[in-house]
Amino acid sequence: VYIYYSTDDCETWNSRRVSDDLQTYKIAYSKGLGKFFCGQYSSTDGINWTKTTEESVGNIFAVDTPNGSWLYAQPTGYGYYYLKSTDGITWVETGAYGSAYFVCYCDKQNLVYLVGAYMNQINKIYVNKPDTEIYTEREFFGEDKLSNISWSSELNLFIAVGGVSAGQGYSKYHIYTSVDGMNWERFPASTLCHFIYAGFLKSFIGTEGATLYFEGMENI
């Protein structure tokens, strides 16, 4: 597996071979730990990688708070508890269960939101203060499954995308919004996307050609 990086504002890209046992996991960066993380590997510069842990971790999410930094990860395989770490080396199981791997940190509330879905069961949202092991569990909309969740400090709003599951796909697509991460409103959507919030553009930028602009709730 190769890691790709750019040093000239993404004009050109270089690659660095890491290891055959590194899969195509998400890359996370922790400001507090000063490292990039991808699966079992970590890097201080994003170019040179070393194996950090023997734990079977997959996609990693970094959470930096005024009280410290934490890493959350989905174990490789299905139907496991989320893992949590303060250094990327030692990992412990959390109280959040599922094969989905979407993590969202809300700096306003100092809360972490984890989405847990397993096989054909309904989605659950687990809410946790990162420096504790206390989890609040909340079921989502009926049979709806989430494919992403994000928090915007600028808009003071959570947004998620997902739909009604139909086998490996979705029979209906929706956008979901929330001001507290626990109580949600659902809106029809024409496409399913993964996204990030770009504060300088004041918009959510997503894949599948979807850009979701927010000027007021009536325009969602």
Side-chain angles (χ1 to χ4, degrees):
V1 172
Y2 289 82
I3 295 289
Y4 291 84
Y5 62 93
S6 174
T7 57
D8 57 3
D9 295 328
C10 300
E11 292 288 336
T12 58
W13 290 83
N14 301 294
S15 63
R16 174 64 61 90
R17 186 177 184 276
V18 178
S19 174
D20 289 337
D21 63 354
L22 176 64
Q23 304 299 314
T24 53
Y25 298 122
K26 296 176 183 288
I27 294 178
Y29 179 73
S30 169
K31 292 180 181 179
L33 299 176
K35 288 183 179 181
F36 295 90
F37 293 90
C38 185
Q40 296 175 305
Y41 290 79
S42 68
S43 171
T44 57
D45 58 10
I47 300 174
N48 301 290
W49 294 77
T50 58
K51 198 168 188 176
T52 301
T53 181
E54 294 298 326
E55 189 73 46
S56 297
V57 295
N59 293 299
I60 294 177
F61 299 80
V63 174
D64 292 301
T65 81
N67 298 324
S69 298
W70 287 266
L71 301 171
Y72 290 83
Q74 175 200 23
T76 55
Y78 295 93
Y80 292 94
Y81 286 97
Y82 276 99
L83 299 176
K84 184 178 178 180
S85 175
T86 57
D87 56 13
I89 301 172
T90 303
W91 294 82
V92 296
E93 287 186 353
T94 71
Y97 182 86
S99 58
Y101 47 89
F102 309 112
V103 178
C104 171
Y105 174 66
C106 175
D107 53 5
K108 178 181 178 181
Q109 304 172 16
N110 188 32
L111 292 174
V112 174
Y113 291 78
L114 303 97
V115 175
Y118 178 61
M119 302 299 286
N120 293 321
Q121 296 179 9
I122 60 177
N123 265 336
K124 295 182 184 294
I125 295 178
Y126 298 90
V127 185
N128 166 243
K129 286 187 180 295
D131 54 345
T132 71
E133 296 304 322
I134 301 173
Y135 290 81
T136 300
E137 181 180 310
R138 177 67 178 267
E139 293 183 353
F140 205 61
F141 281 97
E143 298 179 349
D144 290 21
K145 300 283 192 299
L146 295 185
S147 67
N148 208 349
I149 181 174
S150 182
W151 159 255
S152 166
S153 297
E154 293 86 353
L155 299 179
N156 196 33
L157 187 71
F158 289 90
I159 183 171
V161 292
V164 178
S165 180
Q168 297 298 316
Y170 292 85
S171 60
K172 294 180 180 179
Y173 301 134
H174 297 289
I175 296 171
Y176 311 86
T177 63
S178 174
V179 295
D180 59 7
M182 297 293 282
N183 301 288
W184 294 79
E185 293 187 74
R186 179 170 56 185
F187 303 88
S190 59
T191 184
L192 188 66
C193 60
H194 295 272
F195 56 86
I196 60 172
Y197 179 74
F200 67 99
L201 294 176
K202 294 184 178 179
S203 65
F204 288 89
I205 307 299
T207 58
E208 304 263 348
T211 302
L212 312 175
Y213 293 97
F214 287 79
E215 295 179 356
M217 293 296 290
E218 72 278 0
N219 293 325
I220 294 178

